Amino acid sequence: MIPLTIPEISGNEWTYVKECLDTAWISSAGSYVSKFEEILSDFTDSTHAVACVNGTSGLHLALELSGVSSGDLVIMPNLTFVASANSVQYTGAEPILIDVCTDSWQFELDLLEEFLEHKTTLTDIGLEFKENGKLIKAIMPVHVLGNMTEMDRLIRIAAKYLMPVVEDASEALGSTYKGRHAGTFGSTGVFSFNGNKIISTGGGGMIVSNDEELARRAKHLSTQAKVSPEEYIHDEIGYNYRLVNVLAAIGVAQMEQLPGFLTKKREIDRFYREQLSGVGDITFQEVIPHVQPNCWLFTFRTKRMRELLRHLNAHGVQSRPFWRPMNQLPMYSHCHYVQKSDHSGMLYDQCISIPSSVGLTKEQMNTVVKTIKTFFQA
Ligand SMILES: *Cc1c(COP(=O)(O)O)cnc(C)c1O
């Protein structure tokens, strides 16, 4: 089976993890945690980074620190991985779901603006959703598959309606818009390093921010809000969300290899686009000007997605459908969903992800392409 996307452990992972084990610095107080944070803030050109146990906990903290709490609303795309919506719900707030574009598969910005103009009012206490009087406290763009929307415009809209931006950049490590790194446009951005992301620590996440106070609070809350290193005194309800040293050691080794990973991912993307263009009814995710995506996971559209999925998995090419949109999940089906023709539902019915691991060989890539072509020629 050619796997969909698996971690690439070919650098200093063993050496750094062994050092943690040899010195017994395995928990969250070791030096690799802060080293990992430094490397990530350097790489993304943000002033602060705070390591978390995973991307979901990072999003939860970032939302809480942006002032989101019980009874509030958060705007987010309808087409995303469920963790985006769950992190909103953990704060006690509820998502407002916005449909995505059929070309880039990111936030549909016209729809977003129309919604804000007609369905919300800016009052003394904040941005009110007219339908129920609740306050919209933040907007969470998701950089779907490491691609991005027109960030200038998104930031302008958010500023006009006074919404803090929490970027779910879980999939977008290495992606840029006008040379600026994903995750650094909003007040906070969050990355994930779970098993299938572009770099992996097994499980892990990172909040980046240019706001010193916000970063300080993120670290404080992620370490049980402990006030003093010597005593068990805590000044608010914190979380046990800090990444441990062993995993951060893997993260440091992975970051050393990230430039190479990005080159390989972009090569895979180019190859598939060339080879699959004009095959059957296949269409690709569009990349708008100024975006340089990390090409994390190659995904394309076909009306025969379900049939193709069965064909590929039966022929040793591991493939997956896209996420079922949030409005189709039982927990979020009651949320307000802003749409005109449910593009998310259409994309869910048509999108398929194919093998994109950094370690993919040319021979494997050819096999993937051949298996797809055979399907459409039959
Ligand atoms: C992976 C992912 C997350 C969650 O990250 P974890 O580290 O698995 O908690 C959140 N949002 C999106 C869009 C993701 O792809």
Side-chain angles (χ1 to χ4, degrees), residues 113-187:
E113 276 202 296
E114 211 174 291
F115 166 78
L116 289 167
E117 195 179 323
H118 298 292
K119 306 285 176 159
T120 69
T121 336
L122 263 174
T123 71
D124 291 347
I125 49 163
L127 182 66
E128 209 176 275
F129 180 34
K130 285 184 193 167
E131 200 169 286
N132 58 16
K134 290 185 176 182
L135 295 178
I136 300 171
K137 285 289 192 61
I139 180 165
M140 182 163 69
V142 179
H143 305 307
V144 175
L145 297 168
N147 196 354
M148 279 195 269
T149 186
E150 223 180 309
M151 289 308 286
D152 289 348
R153 186 171 164 208
L154 178 80
I155 294 300
R156 250 193 333 266
I157 298 170
K160 180 174 169 192
Y161 291 93
L162 309 177
M163 293 182 288
V165 178
V166 175
E167 293 176 65
D168 182 346
S170 296
E171 302 176 355
L173 185 62
S175 305
T176 58
Y177 173 81
K178 293 191 176 169
R180 190 162 158 187
H181 204 285
T184 65
F185 293 84
S187 59

Side-chain angles (χ1 to χ4, degrees), residues 6-228:
I6 51 169
E8 177 74 12
I9 310 291
S10 47
N12 289 318
E13 288 85 355
W14 274 105
T15 315
Y16 297 164
V17 168
K18 185 170 185 307
E19 188 190 319
C20 297
L21 299 177
D22 287 342
T23 59
W25 281 101
I26 57 173
S27 194
S28 52
S31 65
Y32 279 110
V33 185
S34 44
K35 204 176 283 175
F36 188 29
E37 290 172 336
E38 263 165 49
I39 294 178
L40 217 105
S41 63
D42 279 353
F43 186 83
T44 57
D45 205 14
S46 57
T47 54
H48 298 84
V50 179
C52 300
V53 284
N54 51 47
T56 312
S57 60
L59 286 169
H60 177 200
L61 271 183
L63 287 164
E64 186 170 320
L65 289 170
S66 301
V68 177
S69 66
S70 193
D72 294 334
L73 298 167
V74 173
I75 292 180
M76 56 169 282
N78 185 40
L79 189 67
T80 181
F81 178 58
V82 70
S84 322
N86 287 345
S87 64
V88 169
Q89 207 70 50
Y90 296 162
T91 65
E94 192 173 276
I96 287 184
L97 305 166
I98 308 276
D99 202 7
V100 298
C101 300
T102 51
D103 45 8
S104 71
W105 315 347
Q106 318 290 311
F107 255 146
E108 168 115 66
L109 294 179
D110 289 337
L111 197 64
L112 171 68
E113 276 202 296
E114 211 174 291
F115 166 78
L116 289 167
E117 195 179 323
H118 298 292
K119 306 285 176 159
T120 69
T121 336
L122 263 174
T123 71
D124 291 347
I125 49 163
L127 182 66
E128 209 176 275
F129 180 34
K130 285 184 193 167
E131 200 169 286
N132 58 16
K134 290 185 176 182
L135 295 178
I136 300 171
K137 285 289 192 61
I139 180 165
M140 182 163 69
V142 179
H143 305 307
V144 175
L145 297 168
N147 196 354
M148 279 195 269
T149 186
E150 223 180 309
M151 289 308 286
D152 289 348
R153 186 171 164 208
L154 178 80
I155 294 300
R156 250 193 333 266
I157 298 170
K160 180 174 169 192
Y161 291 93
L162 309 177
M163 293 182 288
V165 178
V166 175
E167 293 176 65
D168 182 346
S170 296
E171 302 176 355
L173 185 62
S175 305
T176 58
Y177 173 81
K178 293 191 176 169
R180 190 162 158 187
H181 204 285
T184 65
F185 293 84
S187 59
T188 42
V190 177
F191 298 98
S192 161
F193 317 116
N194 85 12
N196 70 13
K197 295 292 180 346
I198 192 158
I199 69 157
S200 178
T201 57
M206 190 81 73
I207 302 173
V208 292
S209 179
N210 288 326
D211 181 331
E212 186 176 356
E213 175 57 13
L214 202 146
R216 190 196 60 77
R217 295 257 303 132
K219 188 171 172 184
H220 183 61
L221 281 178
S222 73
T223 48
Q224 307 279 28
K226 196 158 178 269
V227 183
S228 119

Side-chain angles (χ1 to χ4, degrees), residues 79 301-302 305-306 321-325 328-329 342-352:
L79 189 67
R301 276 170 62 186
T302 166
M305 184 275 282
R306 286 284 160 189
F322 224 2
W323 315 290
R324 179 169 281 185
Q328 293 188 32
L329 301 180
D342 190 26
H343 296 151
S344 321
M346 185 268 286
L347 289 169
Y348 171 59
D349 290 336
Q350 297 187 1
C351 285
I352 179 167

